[in-house]
Structure formats: C-alpha cells, structure tokens
Amino acid sequence: MTLRVVVADDHPLFREGLRSLISDSAETELAGVAADGEEAVAVTLEQRPDVVVMDLRMPGLNGVDATRKIVAALPDVAVLVLTMVEEDASIFAAMRAGARGYVLKGAEPETILRSILVVAAGEVIFGSAIASRLTQFFAVGGGAAMTPFPNLTSRERDILTLMATGANNRTIAMRVGVTEKTVRNNVSNIFAKLQVADRAAAVARARDAGLGSLPR
C-alpha cells in the first residue's frame, strides 16, 4: 500500500525537495503541500493522509500547534517533525503535541523516507542527533540535563515562567523584585531569543516546554 503524505514547510526550495523525494518513492505519494501551520491543518483535514511531514518554525500557526490540532482531529494521522530546530524544549513540545518522530533537516533522504514509513506503522523515531540527546537526558535522570530554553538567563527564564502563568509586567516586577522597566527589557530579550513576535507566542512556547501552571 502506498502511503499518502502531506508536506508542511515554509521554505519553497526545501518543500520542493521533499515533494520530489516523496513523489519519486514507490512507497509514498504526495497528498498535498502547505506553507504554514494553518494551511497544514486545512490540507490534512481535507486530504486525510497517512503522514504529515511538519516543520516547526512557520509563519502564523507554528508546527507544534498545528501538530496538536491535527492529532486532536485525526489521531490516526502520523506527524513526523522535520526541522532545523534541535533545542530540548522544542523536542519535548512536539512529542507532547502528538508527533511520532523528530528528525533534523540535515538527515539523508533515505533516513527521511525510512522515518515516514516508521511513523506510519505506528512507531516512534528520532534522528541520530536527537536520539543521542535523549539518551543523555535519561542516563542522568532528566531534569537538569534539559533546562528549557538554555539560551535564556535565569532571570529571563523566571520572567517567562511568570508570563506563562498569566502574570502581567507589574506583577512580575513585584515577584522578581525589579522595576517594570527591567521586566519590559527582559521581555524584549525573551522575544528576540525565542524568535517570537509577541507575548502570546512566547507564552505558548513556554507552556509547550512545561513552564507555568495554567492549562492550555
């Protein structure tokens, strides 16, 4: 049986490369393409493929949120994350959203095709670089080995955690013991480091990584 695959990626050249890879394989056929998360959800709901190959960083709805919507609506559709992002928080966010695999874009074409077949069969797969990180994580008992957003300072991480609980800048300033101006500066730094445009996107990524106590 030929597997029907949807490709979601905002980079035209990479998207076309995946289109060719899937179309040229005897085991897969292209069911549709999408350039952003919203389109990925729409195409998947319309085409009901076996597998969605999902990038994480896309305009509008990101890959994690798109994955969550797809899995909630069509739990039998397997999502394989194929991305350049290898930070710990993104790996766990994608898996919590329901992705069955996580592979980096530098993988060989044969590895990508094999990963599609594996997740379609109901199994879970990680690229070699990701598997190595997870092995290290579990070898040391988790927790400290994978601090969410390691590029943030401890203060920025504290502020992001409070943001994820719904606290405003005034409340954060009181809790952290700094001025509101300092909080605003840190929030701007957080946006830049997380590569997000606004507070809502930062909060979404924080909650995906397990920060904050409010439900999604």
Side-chain angles (χ1 to χ4, degrees):
M1 175 178 136
T2 304
L3 296 175
R4 300 177 67 250
V5 182
V6 164
V7 171
D9 196 292
D10 65 326
H11 292 91
L13 290 179
F14 194 82
R15 191 168 61 242
E16 288 305 309
L18 285 176
R19 181 201 291 267
S20 297
L21 178 68
I22 291 165
S23 298
D24 291 346
S25 170
E27 296 174 289
T28 57
E29 66 177 81
L30 190 70
V33 295
D36 57 53
E38 292 286 0
E39 190 178 7
V41 174
V43 171
T44 301
L45 292 179
E46 178 184 351
Q47 296 296 325
R48 296 178 177 261
D50 299 292
V51 179
V52 178
V53 179
M54 180 78 72
D55 192 12
L56 286 188
R57 301 280 173 82
M58 294 185 289
L61 191 70
N62 63 48
V64 169
D65 290 336
T67 296
R68 186 177 297 111
K69 288 189 173 187
I70 288 169
V71 172
L74 300 171
D76 291 335
V77 175
V79 177
L80 172 68
V81 171
L82 183 61
T83 180
M84 295 179 65
V85 183
E86 57 179 312
E87 65 183 27
D88 306 330
S90 295
I91 298 169
F92 285 105
M95 303 314 291
R96 276 195 294 268
R100 293 187 194 168
Y102 199 109
V103 179
L104 297 180
K105 285 186 175 180
E108 295 293 329
E110 294 79 8
T111 298
I112 295 172
L113 281 175
R114 180 170 62 86
S115 298
I116 291 172
L117 299 178
V118 167
V119 297
E123 300 178 32
V124 174
I125 189 168
F126 297 98
S128 57
I130 302 302
S132 177
R133 294 173 73 120
L134 292 176
T135 299
Q136 180 185 15
F137 170 73
F138 288 112
V140 300
M146 283 193 168
T147 301
F149 312 114
N151 58 329
L152 299 183
T153 66
S154 59
R155 174 177 287 175
E156 289 167 351
R157 194 174 298 108
D158 289 343
I159 289 174
L160 180 60
T161 300
L162 290 169
M163 288 167 58
T165 68
N168 59 28
N169 285 357
R170 177 175 294 182
T171 300
I172 293 172
M174 293 174 61
R175 293 282 298 276
V176 178
V178 297
T179 66
E180 284 189 59
K181 180 179 179 181
T182 298
V183 172
R184 288 195 297 271
N185 290 339
N186 277 270
V187 169
S188 295
N189 291 339
I190 290 168
F191 289 175
K193 291 181 179 180
L194 299 189
Q195 298 181 8
V196 297
D198 55 33
R199 197 181 192 94
V203 167
R205 290 204 58 199
R207 291 179 182 170
D208 281 335
L211 300 182
S213 57
L214 295 183
R216 292 186 184 90

